[in-house]
Amino acid sequence: MAVVVETTIGDFTVDLYTEERPQTCRNFLKLCKLKYYNWNLFHSVQNNFIAQTGDPTGTGKGGESVYGIVLGEKARYYEAEQMPKIKHDRSGLLSMINCGNNMLGSQFFITLAPELQSLDGEHCVFGEITEGLEIILKFNETICDGDHRPYQDIRISHTVILEDPFEDPKNFVVPDQSPPPTKEVLMSDRIGADEVIDDTAGMTAEEIIEMQKEKEAKARATILEIVGDIPDADMAPPENVLFVCKLNPVTTDDDLEIVFSRFGKIIGCEVIRDRQTGDSLQYAFIEFADRKSCEEAYFKMDNVLIDDRRIHVDFSQSVAKMRWKGKGKGIQYFNDNEDLEKVSLRYKQKDESTNNDDIKSRRENDKKNKIEIMEHRKHEYRKNDNKNNSECSYSDKYIEKEKHKEQRYYDTSREKYEYDSRRRKERKHRDRSRSRSRDKSKRENYKEHKQKKKHDNEKKRWNRESVNENLGYEKYKERHSNRKEKEKRKERNRSMDRYEKNKQKER
């Protein structure tokens, strides 16, 4: 037996379990025949769970069975069938709401997800959607408030019975036509079911583009929140933290803290390192106690030289209304009424006409940073030397090395490049020589191979001589043995000479 249910978001066809649930199917069919469900609101829609309706009041507390309409208030509810058991094991099932003590009225729900075991044994399944299952996707996409009520009304507009095998009860009156919508439906405080929502109504093209950008930014932030990169999508970056990158792998937390502490008190300074190897990943985060000192560091420390590397400093959008006037001139704070474009153009012209004084001041600043780091490292090395009490002071060696570098390779890119390339070649040559001496077994094999080759060559030569002189095998053998005896005699004589010389020395 089938019923077509027409809603404001689409139509679907329901097949009823008349053999398994005869009483519940009869109640549902007769209520549809009375047009009881027309204009009923889906008052509760829980995504990937259920969509509930069947209450003419739209509150979830009303509704009655067909027996209550025919026989009176005492027969408002009827007892649900419990056998056979039908589980809520797939989406698109229709199930009656249990009103307490296993009693049913007119309210029912549609399952919007499979495997809803929590509903089994409590609510009575009596049918399933066979056509129009795409309606479930629309229910799952519905935007609802905290009470799971949709912001835009979703209603049953009409029900059509395709086949009814049950007889009508006594005093059952079928209406001639569908009832008109009630005052409650017309006076709803929500967006109407047939109302078209246009977010861009009355907005300019620029405002629409800005709204789209905001939506895209929120969507990206939500994705990051889902992935786990940020704890909250609406979280703003801190205003007192700087991001420093392009660092030299040698640079440590203490070095950065010394350089940046001239702008104000630093709460935390951390160079990010690899967990397994402990090597620097060449970027860091510096947290200042004061926001103003953080902004000052942002403007002054970008492109500054630290350990022969020009660092890059970035900051959040909280400094959008500030500009650094120049060395010793401070920061200008813009007012809301001030024209930002004119001021930015004025400062751009100043930046284009930079003098040699600015370059000199930058070089002085770089030297100052280098000296501070050098002094700090000397101090650290001296500490280590005092602990170890070693004869050779490592700090002195480090100082000599740094002086030698400063004398030969000052801060120009060409000289530094040549120095680095030379060092690279030396390292390559050293590694090659190490690899040769590393494997002794290879060298031994090579010696054996060489000796074998020498012996083979001698044999070939002897064979060649014997053939050229037309010697027989016996003569060749004699000649070969004579040669061997001669060599043995020579070795014996040499050893005797050595023995006599050693004796004479002892005397």
Side-chain angles (χ1 to χ4, degrees), residues 398-414:
Y398 175 77
I399 293 157
E400 284 175 14
K401 194 177 177 183
E402 290 291 327
K403 279 181 182 177
H404 178 68
K405 265 174 73 175
E406 281 178 12
Q407 286 168 7
R408 289 186 67 187
Y409 310 110
Y410 49 89
D411 183 31
T412 58
S413 58
R414 182 66 190 167

Side-chain angles (χ1 to χ4, degrees), residues 300 324-331:
K300 293 185 181 180
W324 185 44
K325 293 179 181 179
K327 190 171 176 65
K329 296 177 183 177
I331 301 165

Side-chain angles (χ1 to χ4, degrees), residues 280-321:
S280 170
L281 297 177
Q282 300 176 26
Y283 69 93
F285 294 96
I286 301 167
E287 187 178 357
F288 285 86
D290 187 16
R291 176 186 156 185
K292 199 168 183 181
S293 57
C294 185
E295 288 160 3
E296 219 172 318
Y298 167 76
F299 287 118
K300 293 185 181 180
M301 289 304 292
D302 193 27
N303 206 31
V304 167
L305 196 75
I306 295 177
D307 283 332
D308 299 329
R309 290 281 181 94
R310 296 216 169 268
I311 64 166
H312 175 65
V313 180
D314 202 357
F315 197 56
S316 63
Q317 59 265 33
S318 60
V319 292
K321 293 186 177 182

Side-chain angles (χ1 to χ4, degrees), residues 175-233:
D176 299 332
Q177 58 182 6
S178 299
T182 59
K183 288 182 180 179
E184 292 175 358
V185 173
L186 297 172
M187 297 297 290
S188 176
D189 57 342
R190 301 292 169 120
I191 300 165
D194 301 327
E195 193 176 337
V196 179
I197 302 167
D198 186 11
D199 295 335
T200 60
M203 294 173 71
T204 61
E206 291 176 359
E207 287 173 344
I208 291 165
I209 292 163
E210 193 177 343
M211 186 179 75
Q212 287 173 351
K213 284 180 180 177
E214 282 179 8
K215 282 182 180 178
E216 286 171 9
K218 281 181 181 177
R220 283 195 291 270
T222 307
I223 289 163
L224 287 174
E225 186 183 3
I226 292 162
V227 170
D229 277 7
I230 54 174
D232 187 14

Side-chain angles (χ1 to χ4, degrees), residues 223-278:
I223 289 163
L224 287 174
E225 186 183 3
I226 292 162
V227 170
D229 277 7
I230 54 174
D232 187 14
D234 298 325
M235 188 179 74
E239 296 179 346
N240 62 330
V241 177
L242 281 182
F243 170 73
V244 184
C245 61
K246 297 184 181 179
L247 291 171
N248 194 318
V250 179
T251 308
T252 61
D253 305 342
D254 297 334
D255 300 339
L256 281 178
E257 194 169 349
I258 286 161
V259 173
F260 280 86
S261 59
R262 72 181 70 155
F263 301 102
K265 188 182 176 183
I266 292 173
I267 297 169
C269 177
E270 184 185 4
V271 174
I272 307 303
R273 298 182 179 279
D274 188 80
R275 286 183 182 178
Q276 292 180 348
T277 60

Side-chain angles (χ1 to χ4, degrees), residues 77-94:
Y77 302 112
Y78 69 95
E79 193 173 354
E81 296 120 316
Q82 294 181 339
M83 298 301 291
K85 290 181 179 179
I86 304 172
K87 294 182 178 180
H88 300 78
D89 56 354
R90 59 187 181 275
S91 53
L93 293 175
L94 269 72

